[in-house]
Amino acid sequence: MRDIGLRVAAAMLVLGLGACDGGKKAETEGAKPPAASGAVTPVPLPTGPNFPVPAATINAWIAAGDTAAIRGHAWSLWQAMAAPSGQRFNGQELPIWETWAGPNDVFPQNQAAVAAGTNGTTLEARLAKPRVIRNFAAPLQFHHSKGVKLGALGTFGNSDVTADNKFNPQAAAFIDAPQKGPGGATYAYYTQAGLTKLNASWPAGTTPQNRGINEFPVEAIELKPVFGTVKATGLTVQPLWQGPAGSTNPTNPTIRTWTTCMLVSPHGTGPVRPATPAEIASVSTAGTACKTFQWTPLSNLYAVRLTASEAKSLAAASGKTVAEGDYAVLLAMHVNTKEIPFWTWQTFWWQPGGDTPNNFPGSKQGQPAGLGGPWNNYAACTAYSQTTTPTSSTMQVCFNPYLETDPSIPAGITSNCMSCHGVAVVGNSQPYPANYNKPIAFFTDPTYFSTTVTHTDFSWAVATSP
């Protein structure tokens, strides 16, 4: 069901001209976003033969098990999003994806302020103002159970990282627009109140399959970038994923159990190399499982120098000491596009040097020749279907080492993006698949879908709106 309406068309025109599980308000209840700083105009991803790709083409890749074509598409998205945007923040030019709307833009936290016009009554008005560019928060995956309040930081194995959400102009305009639903009424997808109203409005006899929000437009993209920190001086220890075997806990190989560690230099240059004894002696490895050490310059990561307010926000979200002038570094990113009805799914993580043993769960293979640094230091895996081919009984495994290795996520290292996001609903439901032994029948499996829930087109961002 899709009825975007005239308001979305108008919003798309403004945004297109430059007016954005995986999104929502700050993902921890204790972390507050930094003060707004700097007006940044969202830049749409250029459309062309590589985006959006016709659904028939992508579905043909899936049917044929054409992994090379699927990975090629994932890398083309990564390269396009990394292109310079022409927009600047804190003295640094941003890649296209960093200009996109964040959770504070799409899901405004202070609805009273929005109604009063002090925070911008429309998405376009909010995006036209100086705004929060990076919303650092504890990843939602670490506390996905419905109704569970967060405890102290540190109860989650991957608490060192923070996550944001980004929405390209088409996705942001869709969520912001009033959407038609049961009875011809309109419903707000950017508030839990609007979604609760929708969930209660389905006529008696509406099947679970038909209890769903309108579909996103095919050009929609949702992101979940994941950040760590690097100090402005000295060397910073950053554990490096080398597969479950490179962890002291192969079952739940969280970041702090990884035995290979990078020593990141904020000012050095040169290739990745073994760290010297003096370099190793200069750092503290408390709270890590580091046994093997390599050295790398900061330039091998996408890194941004933090403003004072950003440093405060990142410290609150991560529980680490962070100061103005330190760096937020991109460690991982989920990328979801609506080019096919069940979305495309690709995830990227920092992998300088060689690939992981056995290329698990992915690799840097198939990168475009023109993909430059630091973006060519990231590996990828894809999950455009739950199984390796539509007729296969072999489940697709695709997870992000910085997110799904957390022990609060059931069967994280055998998971795949599509199965997880396919169970995103409004209402009481099992929040995550207990395992990934077989495909989920989307919208009909009674474990996840019933006449008391509304599925949200694979978007945890919408399902968990404030």
Side-chain angles (χ1 to χ4, degrees):
M1 177 169 55
R2 179 180 297 145
D3 186 354
I4 297 177
L6 295 177
R7 184 179 169 193
V8 174
M12 279 302 306
L13 177 60
V14 174
L15 291 170
L17 292 173
C20 194
D21 227 354
K24 55 179 181 56
K25 62 180 180 179
E27 290 188 313
T28 75
E29 296 191 0
K32 295 182 179 179
S37 176
V40 172
T41 300
V43 176
L45 197 68
T47 57
N50 294 324
F51 179 81
V53 173
T57 300
I58 296 177
N59 285 328
W61 299 340
I62 296 169
D66 192 343
T67 303
I70 290 171
R71 286 184 61 83
H73 182 51
W75 285 121
S76 71
L77 291 169
W78 183 247
Q79 185 175 33
M81 294 192 312
S85 68
Q87 301 290 301
R88 302 186 70 83
F89 180 79
N90 198 25
Q92 180 174 351
E93 185 172 16
L94 302 176
I96 285 175
W97 68 266
E98 275 236 274
T99 70
W100 292 350
N104 296 311
D105 307 313
V106 178
F107 304 101
Q109 296 182 45
N110 190 335
Q111 296 299 321
V114 172
T118 55
N119 194 33
T121 56
T122 66
L123 175 66
E124 300 87 67
R126 294 192 292 277
L127 292 174
K129 294 182 176 183
R131 58 191 174 91
V132 174
I133 301 303
R134 303 175 186 106
N135 187 84
F136 300 113
L140 182 62
Q141 283 97 323
F142 299 173
H143 49 89
H144 229 308
S145 296
K146 300 284 185 176
V148 174
K149 295 292 184 181
L150 294 184
L153 286 171
T155 59
F156 307 107
N158 289 358
S159 60
D160 288 341
V161 301
T162 64
D164 195 2
N165 288 103
K166 291 288 189 180
F167 307 85
N168 77 331
Q170 292 90 336
F174 171 79
I175 295 170
D176 184 65
Q179 297 288 336
K180 288 185 178 180
T186 58
Y187 301 85
Y189 291 172
Y190 57 84
T191 69
Q192 197 63 211
L195 293 165
T196 299
K197 176 184 174 184
L198 171 63
N199 193 41
S201 297
W202 296 107
T206 304
T207 64
Q209 185 167 7
N210 290 326
R211 294 174 63 97
I213 68 169
N214 297 332
E215 290 187 43
F216 280 73
V218 295
E219 302 88 356
I221 304 175
E222 290 188 356
L223 310 178
K224 182 182 283 294
V226 175
F227 289 96
T229 56
V230 168
K231 303 300 289 184
T233 59
L235 298 175
T236 298
V237 177
Q238 174 56 58
L240 181 70
W241 172 252
Q242 290 292 286
S247 163
T248 57
N249 185 355
T251 302
N252 289 123
T254 61
I255 295 171
R256 294 182 184 181
T257 71
W258 299 353
T259 57
T260 298
C261 291
M262 286 288 183
L263 304 185
V264 184
S265 169
H267 306 299
T269 59
V272 172
R273 59 168 173 77
T276 67
E279 289 166 342
I280 297 170
S282 72
V283 300
S284 170
T285 58
T288 75
C290 302
K291 296 178 181 178
T292 301
F293 297 86
Q294 298 186 56
W295 177 96
T296 185
L298 181 67
S299 59
N300 276 339
L301 285 144
Y302 176 65
V304 295
R305 188 180 289 270
L306 294 166
T307 65
S309 59
E310 285 182 320
K312 183 178 180 180
S313 174
L314 202 157
S318 67
K320 303 181 74 173
T321 301
V322 186
E324 180 181 5
D326 288 345
Y327 296 90
V329 293
L330 183 70
L331 297 175
M333 189 190 298
H334 286 328
V335 178
N336 320 328
T337 79
K338 183 60 180 178
E339 294 167 283
I340 54 177
F342 286 0
W343 298 68
T344 75
W345 307 93
Q346 39 268 308
T347 193
F348 303 85
W349 62 93
W350 190 50
Q351 196 78 64
D355 283 326
T356 48
N358 302 319
N359 296 330
F360 183 78
S363 70
K364 293 182 288 187
Q365 294 176 12
Q367 288 183 344
L371 182 64
W375 310 104
N376 57 6
N377 291 309
Y378 293 81
C381 70
T382 58
Y384 285 22
S385 63
Q386 295 185 87
T387 55
T388 52
T389 65
T391 58
S392 172
S393 60
T394 302
M395 292 294 289
Q396 191 82 259
V397 175
C398 181
F399 65 91
N400 198 298
Y402 287 90
L403 293 171
E404 282 76 37
T405 56
D406 192 270
S408 64
I409 300 173
I413 62 172
T414 61
S415 65
N416 72 72
C417 317
M418 181 181 285
S419 296
C420 169
H421 278 258
V423 300
V425 299
V426 176
N428 294 322
S429 179
Q430 173 73 27
Y432 267 148
N435 58 58
Y436 294 82
N437 296 333
K438 62 180 182 180
I440 293 170
F442 293 133
F443 317 140
T444 60
D445 187 327
T447 304
Y448 308 100
F449 310 101
S450 69
T451 55
T452 63
V453 302
T454 297
H455 51 87
T456 56
D457 195 20
F458 293 80
S459 175
W460 278 114
V462 170
T464 56
S465 60

